[in-house]
Structures are given as structure tokens and as C-alpha cells.
Amino acid sequence: MSKRFGIVVVLILGILSPLLVQSLRFDIQSGHTKCIAEDIKSNAMTVGKYSIVNPNEGHPLPESHKVTVRVTSTYGNNYHYGDNVQSGQYAFTAAEAGDYMACFYAIDHKPVTTITIDFEWKTGIAAKDWTNVAKKGQIDVMQLELKKLEDIVQSIHDEMFYLREREEEMQELNRATNSRMGWLSFLSLCICFSVAGLQLWHLKTFFERKKLL
Amino acid sequence: MERRKRSGSVKLFIILGFLLSIVGHLSALSITVNDVECVYEYVLYEGDTVSGNFVVVDHDIFWSSDHPGLDFTVSSPGGNTVHSLKGTSGDKFEFKAPRSGMYKFCFQNPYSTPETVSFYIHIGHIPNEHDLAKDEHLNPINVKIAELREALESVTAEQTYLKARDARHRRTNESTRKRVVLYTMLEYLVLVAASSLQVVYIRRLFSKSVAYNRV
């Protein structure tokens, strides 16, 4: 009974945790655009949340503080679009690997105001919903912490494999460039000789024709 | 006795739930710096270790040399500079936050060409003996788990740095390959053009229309 109550408390705190989870803040001036990009692997879960920070506490946000948000992939596919909003969130599974861009455009306003946006973008294991895991498994909070650590270790392991693959690709690329450079230099030597030979032959026949040689 | 034990375990859950939500970190984000770009992060506790890294991903520079790099400064909520790096194309940083509050991480581009920076910032908190003494339900095992998590975070940060550097290295390699092929083709064309110009010039020297036997 107390265990279930404890899990409920954890869930409530999980819902309240946007107050506690760290997020990034940046400023945009009215009429300007700022884009933040992130490199996401294919089939990775990603979650993003953005909201405009209220400059005066207690009063509602002024109408001039609105942004248009667009999240696109490298190939131009649109994953999220928020038009003239003050906060929002998006979640999707990345179909293509590559750089995903979240662009914020602050709407035009005559006295140029600076809008502060609170933004959070989590990918991969950080995007996993731990409160659901806790609820489903009915497990101890300590076990949840340790499960999180296990997931982090697994992701580190996968990342090492990915880095190793990339390094191999790069080595292949370098080796190919090296051999290509060798062939091109050899070809340049051949062209040099053949052009010189052609010149000599052409001038010889030319002078013989002109009866000068 | 029974009620006290129940409220005790509820408190434990509250504390652990609080701890759970503190796993806050960003994945590596990229931002294009035209002049100055600043990012703010809130540090919850004084004495937290703020660590991170950033790598400047060069844009395709075809003729000029490598971009000299960006300036990076970290300002505390009081306004003084906590950490600064000048003219680097990527580095790691780590410092202990002297106080809690909103810290400002700024990238400054002294040149007109825009540069893209890929950065990663992590704020780690390990409950110390002071927190342990304040709340008797905080187990020493939580400290060990927090230390373990911080160690794993540092490995993740290192991997992010390596990945960003690898991406930049790959860009340089691809640009080198393109340049090699382009310049070699250009060299062939110039060679053939120069030799044909030579032949044409010599023929003209010997042609009858210029002057008879001027040579």
C-alpha cells in the first residue's frame, strides 16, 4: 500500500519535473530566426519542449511574445509546425538519420523586443519515459535508478560501435583518396609526355612541309 | 510505529523521485554563430560540476585557410567570467559552479563568415555529506549511484566530443578529395592549353603572311 503511494508520489514528481529538469535558454529578437540542429540516428526516439519565458511573473504573456516553430529533417520533411504559439512540444521517431533542425521565428513587433525561449530537446535514452517503466514494473525506486544506469551503459556501448564504424569509413575514404591521388599524378606525367611528344611531332611535320628542315 | 515507518518510506520516495528528475542533460546541439550566440543554463546547487565540450564544424572554405576559431566565455549569474577560451576550434571545459543561478555560455565569432558550433553542456550534482546530514532518509547508496551516474555522463560527454570531431574530420577529408580531383583536372587542361598555344605561336612565326623569312 505504501509502495503504491510512493510510486504515485514519484509519478506526480515526474509530471512536475519540467520544473526540475534542466533546459536550455536562448534569446531571439523580434523578426529574427534562430535554428538549433541536432544529429539524430535513424529509429531514435526524440522529444522536444519549448516555451516562452514570462518576463513579468504573475501577468499573462503579452501578445507580442509569440514564435513560429518548425522542425525539419535534413531532407526537408516537416516533423512539427507551430504557428504563432507561446509553448508547445513535439515527439517523433526519426525515420532518417541526419541533422534535424528546430527553427524558431519570433513574430515581428515594432519596438524590437527580445524573447527568451526555454527549450529542451532529448534524444535516444534521455527521451525514454521512465515514469511509465516505474508504473508498469511496480519496481523499487532504487531499481529504477539502476535500470537507468544500465540503459546509459548500453547506449555508451552502442555509441562506441557507431564511432568505430565511422572511423573505418573515414579510413576507407582516406585510402581511396590516396590511391586516387597516385593514379592522377601518374596520369598527369603521361599527359605531360604525350603532349610534349605531340608538339614535337606536329612541329617536325610542319617544318618539313615548309621545307625548312 | 507502523505509521511512522510508512511516512518515512514515503519521504524516501519523495527524495528519490526528486533525485530521479535531476538527471538533466542535453544531447549535442548545433547552432550557427554569426556574431555572438548565447545559451543560458540554470545551475541548481552551488558546487555543482559544470562540464561540457564544443566543436566548431567548418563550413566549406575553398580558398582561404582554416578558420581561426571562436571565443567561448562562461559568465556566472553575478556577471563575472568563470571560464574563457579564445580562438579555439573545439575544446572541453569543466568547472565547479561557485554559486547557483543562471549561467551564460557565449560563443563569439570575430570574423564575418558564419560558423556552426556543436556543443554539449552537462551539470552534475552529487549529494554530499551536508545533504546526507540534513535529510536522514538520504542513503549513502544514493551518493554512490550519483557518482556512478556522473562517471557515465563523463564517458557520454567524451563520446559526444569524439563524434563531433569525427564529423569535422570527415568534412575536411571530403573537401580535400574534391579539391585534389578538381585541381588535377584543372592542371591537365592548363597543360594542354599551354602547349597548344605554344604550337599555334610557333606556326604563326613561320607563316608566310606575317613576313617572309623574318625569322
Side-chain angles (χ1 to χ4, degrees):
Chain A
M1 169 59 197
S2 80
K3 209 172 195 177
R4 205 145 52 97
F5 182 78
I7 288 177
V8 166
V9 165
V10 167
L11 285 177
I12 291 173
L13 275 170
I15 295 166
L16 284 178
S17 66
L19 301 171
L20 305 166
V21 171
Q22 292 154 355
S23 50
L24 159 73
R25 268 187 202 197
F26 55 92
D27 296 329
I28 316 183
Q29 305 221 303
S30 314
H32 287 76
T33 315
K34 239 184 221 187
C35 288
I36 294 194
E38 177 156 357
D39 190 20
I40 305 182
K41 299 202 265 275
S42 58
N43 295 331
M45 253 291 286
T46 184
V47 164
K49 235 182 300 213
Y50 55 91
S51 61
I52 300 186
V53 172
N54 198 345
N56 342 329
E57 287 295 325
H59 300 271
L61 272 176
E63 279 305 305
S64 62
H65 284 218
K66 281 211 163 100
V67 282
T68 303
V69 182
R70 197 187 289 269
V71 180
T72 50
S73 72
T74 346
Y75 304 105
N77 299 331
N78 189 24
Y79 278 90
H80 174 79
Y81 181 63
D83 197 11
N84 276 355
V85 291
Q86 295 188 323
S87 71
Q89 62 177 43
Y90 55 88
F92 57 88
T93 309
E96 318 136 329
D99 263 336
Y100 283 75
M101 281 233 287
C103 286
F104 296 84
Y105 170 70
I107 58 165
D108 242 334
H109 191 250
K110 260 325 124 204
V112 174
T113 47
T114 308
I115 303 179
T116 309
I117 298 190
D118 196 78
F119 180 56
E120 195 190 301
W121 197 350
K122 301 193 278 197
T123 320
I125 68 134
K128 193 164 165 185
D129 193 5
W130 286 104
T131 48
N132 265 340
V133 174
K135 194 165 43 165
K136 266 191 250 180
Q138 288 257 325
I139 52 179
D140 202 1
V141 184
M142 199 80 74
Q143 274 183 309
L144 193 71
E145 280 289 306
L146 292 175
K147 256 194 194 305
K148 269 193 185 181
L149 290 179
E150 187 187 351
D151 251 12
I152 293 177
V153 170
Q154 184 61 39
S155 83
I156 288 177
H157 200 191
D158 291 335
E159 191 83 13
M160 287 305 272
F161 284 140
Y162 174 72
L163 283 174
R164 198 199 289 177
E165 246 175 53
R166 296 276 292 196
E167 194 268 337
E168 200 172 312
E169 277 174 30
M170 183 114 68
Q171 197 158 4
E172 255 322 301
L173 186 75
N174 279 346
R175 210 177 304 151
T177 306
N178 192 17
S179 75
R180 185 176 277 215
M181 263 199 70
W183 275 114
L184 285 176
S185 314
F186 181 67
L187 196 65
S188 120
L189 203 65
C190 287
I191 285 189
C192 195
F193 279 140
S194 66
V195 156
L198 266 170
Q199 253 189 333
L200 276 173
W201 171 81
H202 180 83
L203 286 173
K204 190 155 153 16
T205 50
F206 175 69
F207 285 146
E208 277 171 358
R209 232 173 342 125
K210 293 279 175 183
K211 312 249 185 333
L212 285 168
L213 274 177
Chain B
M1 185 58 185
E2 169 71 53
R3 242 191 350 173
R4 224 184 29 169
K5 207 160 98 176
R6 208 179 75 172
S7 84
S9 91
V10 162
K11 255 193 164 169
L12 177 67
F13 277 129
I14 291 173
I15 300 297
L16 287 177
F18 188 79
L19 273 182
L20 261 184
S21 40
I22 285 181
V23 182
H25 76 94
L26 309 162
S27 325
L29 298 173
S30 309
I31 198 168
T32 309
V33 179
N34 281 311
D35 190 17
V36 178
E37 291 289 339
C38 289
V39 160
Y40 299 84
E41 272 263 9
Y42 192 76
V43 176
L44 276 170
Y45 299 93
E46 171 192 328
D48 277 354
T49 316
V50 180
S51 62
N53 51 63
F54 67 97
V55 172
V56 177
V57 180
D58 302 312
H59 281 219
D60 290 316
I61 304 172
F62 226 48
W63 299 111
S64 64
S65 61
D66 234 0
H67 191 267
L70 299 180
D71 299 334
F72 174 67
T73 35
V74 185
S75 319
S76 75
N80 25 336
T81 311
V82 177
H83 195 83
S84 98
L85 289 161
K86 284 212 177 308
T88 57
S89 58
D91 210 349
K92 297 194 284 185
F93 61 89
E94 186 178 328
F95 61 89
K96 241 179 152 54
R99 44 182 275 211
S100 67
M102 193 68 90
Y103 279 73
K104 188 158 87 157
F105 300 81
C106 282
F107 296 98
Q108 192 181 6
N109 189 358
Y111 299 88
S112 51
T113 48
E115 294 294 317
T116 309
V117 192
S118 164
F119 63 91
Y120 173 81
I121 302 169
H122 171 66
I123 301 172
H125 173 76
I126 299 178
N128 53 14
E129 308 84 46
H130 189 61
D131 298 329
L132 272 179
K134 258 198 295 193
D135 188 356
E136 65 262 16
H137 296 286
L138 207 58
N139 234 334
I141 219 179
N142 291 101
V143 179
K144 278 297 169 208
I145 290 183
E147 278 178 19
L148 201 64
R149 185 170 51 226
E150 285 310 304
L152 287 177
E153 285 296 334
S154 78
V155 178
T156 313
E158 191 73 33
Q159 279 187 327
T160 317
Y161 186 51
L162 284 176
K163 191 158 94 159
R165 279 179 73 102
D166 173 271
R168 187 178 65 182
H169 194 191
R170 174 173 270 228
R171 262 201 154 158
T172 310
N173 280 348
E174 281 175 359
S175 134
T176 303
R177 168 180 251 241
K178 271 194 286 199
R179 275 165 140 181
V180 157
V181 173
L182 190 74
Y183 291 167
T184 318
M185 292 300 166
L186 210 66
E187 183 204 327
Y188 293 167
L189 283 171
V190 165
L191 195 62
V192 171
S195 95
S196 51
L197 270 171
Q198 270 183 324
V199 168
V200 162
Y201 183 63
I202 291 177
R203 279 175 73 129
R204 246 169 49 102
L205 280 178
F206 283 96
S207 75
K208 284 206 173 81
S209 64
V210 172
Y212 185 71
N213 266 343
R214 195 154 69 115
V215 180

